[in-house]
Amino acid sequence: MSNTYGYVRVSSREQNEDRQMMALQELVEMKNIYVDKQSGKDFNRPQYQKMMRKLRKDDLLYVKSIDRLGRNYEEIQNQWRILTREKKIDIVVLDMPLLDTRRGKDLMGTFLSDIVLQVLSFVAENERTNIRQRQAEGIAAAKARGVKFGRPSIDTPEQFGKIVSLWENKKISSQTAASQCGMSESTFYRRVRIYRDHKKEMGDKESFNI
């Protein structure tokens, strides 16, 4: 007996999959809908791979749009071939009725589906390329405005030398010392190494800031 499946993908955990889910729930049982929250650059996605292991000949797979399947032109083509020719399942792309392998299984129908698939998968990859370019341009513009990326640096407190001295003399623990400096223990140890190197170069002066 054949089964019906649905596949949903969003690019990140912050994105909402409700629109895709609503479209698929009318056609597929919830237990057979697989959801990945991951980039579409390749098909190494846990839920997609889990679904692939479930698929059997004559099963039916629904996706909302071709870019939900993936965004890499060559890999979309390759996966489509694996699904339709090796797994021998049918695929329906809801946003593009021409991509419904249940229809037109004659030569002309297959030819038209192949053309539509090539065009749409090319568009999907081109959009992914444009997104990367827009991101790079946005980051460059932000840096030009003085926006800093990455973790904010942790200032070294003025009393750092006294705290280190108490710690070195075993009057406080490393955990307490780090807490008083507003740092993690690993950051505290790293700053202590820098502090000691600084003292060797500058002598025993209190002034110290990183």
Side-chain angles (χ1 to χ4, degrees):
M1 183 181 294
S2 62
N3 292 304
T4 301
Y5 296 93
Y7 181 69
V8 170
R9 183 188 66 79
V10 290
S11 297
S12 69
R13 294 190 176 278
E14 289 72 33
Q15 290 185 332
N16 195 311
E17 69 273 18
D18 287 352
R19 185 177 66 88
Q20 295 177 67
M21 291 294 292
M22 287 175 64
L24 294 182
Q25 283 171 359
E26 298 178 5
L27 303 163
V28 185
E29 292 183 68
M30 274 296 296
K31 67 178 183 178
N32 285 345
I33 298 177
Y34 292 81
V35 182
D36 275 313
K37 296 192 175 186
Q38 193 170 333
S39 166
K41 65 180 181 179
D42 58 45
F43 286 84
N44 296 321
R45 311 173 211 139
Q47 290 302 305
Y48 183 83
Q49 293 300 325
K50 185 177 180 180
M51 181 187 71
M52 286 290 284
R53 292 192 290 270
K54 288 272 189 179
L55 292 172
R56 297 292 182 269
K57 182 181 177 182
D58 296 327
D59 283 346
L60 174 61
L61 172 63
Y62 285 99
V63 292
K64 184 73 170 66
S65 58
I66 197 67
D67 64 338
R68 297 306 90 198
L69 191 62
R71 285 188 178 274
N72 182 295
Y73 177 79
E74 290 185 3
E75 292 207 16
I76 292 173
Q77 299 281 325
N78 185 49
Q79 285 297 310
W80 192 275
R81 179 186 59 78
I82 291 171
L83 291 166
T84 59
R85 299 180 188 176
E86 295 182 16
K87 292 282 187 179
K88 298 185 184 301
I89 71 163
D90 279 311
I91 309 175
V92 176
V93 179
L94 296 177
D95 285 353
M96 181 51 64
L98 283 174
L99 288 179
D100 182 344
T101 61
R102 299 171 302 178
R103 303 174 184 173
K105 288 185 179 289
D106 58 6
L107 183 60
M108 181 57 70
T110 302
F111 175 70
L112 288 174
S113 290
D114 284 349
I115 290 176
V116 173
L117 174 64
Q118 288 186 39
V119 170
L120 291 179
S121 55
F122 171 78
V123 169
E125 176 161 350
N126 191 56
E127 176 61 16
R128 185 168 72 95
T129 301
N130 288 339
I131 288 171
R132 286 202 304 266
Q133 183 176 343
R134 287 195 295 269
Q135 288 174 338
E137 290 172 352
I139 290 170
K143 285 182 176 179
R145 295 194 306 270
V147 176
K148 294 183 178 180
F149 294 87
R151 292 183 179 181
S153 59
I154 300 173
D155 291 334
T156 304
E158 291 182 6
Q159 69 275 22
F160 186 76
K162 294 178 181 178
I163 295 172
V164 171
S165 179
L166 290 171
W167 170 68
E168 288 177 333
N169 290 305
K170 303 188 184 303
K171 293 183 178 179
I172 58 173
S173 66
S174 59
Q175 186 175 7
T176 299
S179 177
Q180 290 182 6
C181 293
M183 306 172 181
S184 66
E185 286 191 68
S186 59
T187 301
F188 174 73
Y189 288 132
R190 187 169 62 253
R191 295 290 174 87
V192 167
R193 287 196 296 273
I194 297 172
Y195 171 73
R196 286 170 174 167
D197 291 341
H198 181 79
K199 284 185 68 175
K200 287 179 182 178
E201 293 178 5
M202 305 296 294
D204 293 334
K205 296 180 181 179
E206 272 307 314
S207 178
F208 174 73
N209 195 18
I210 300 172

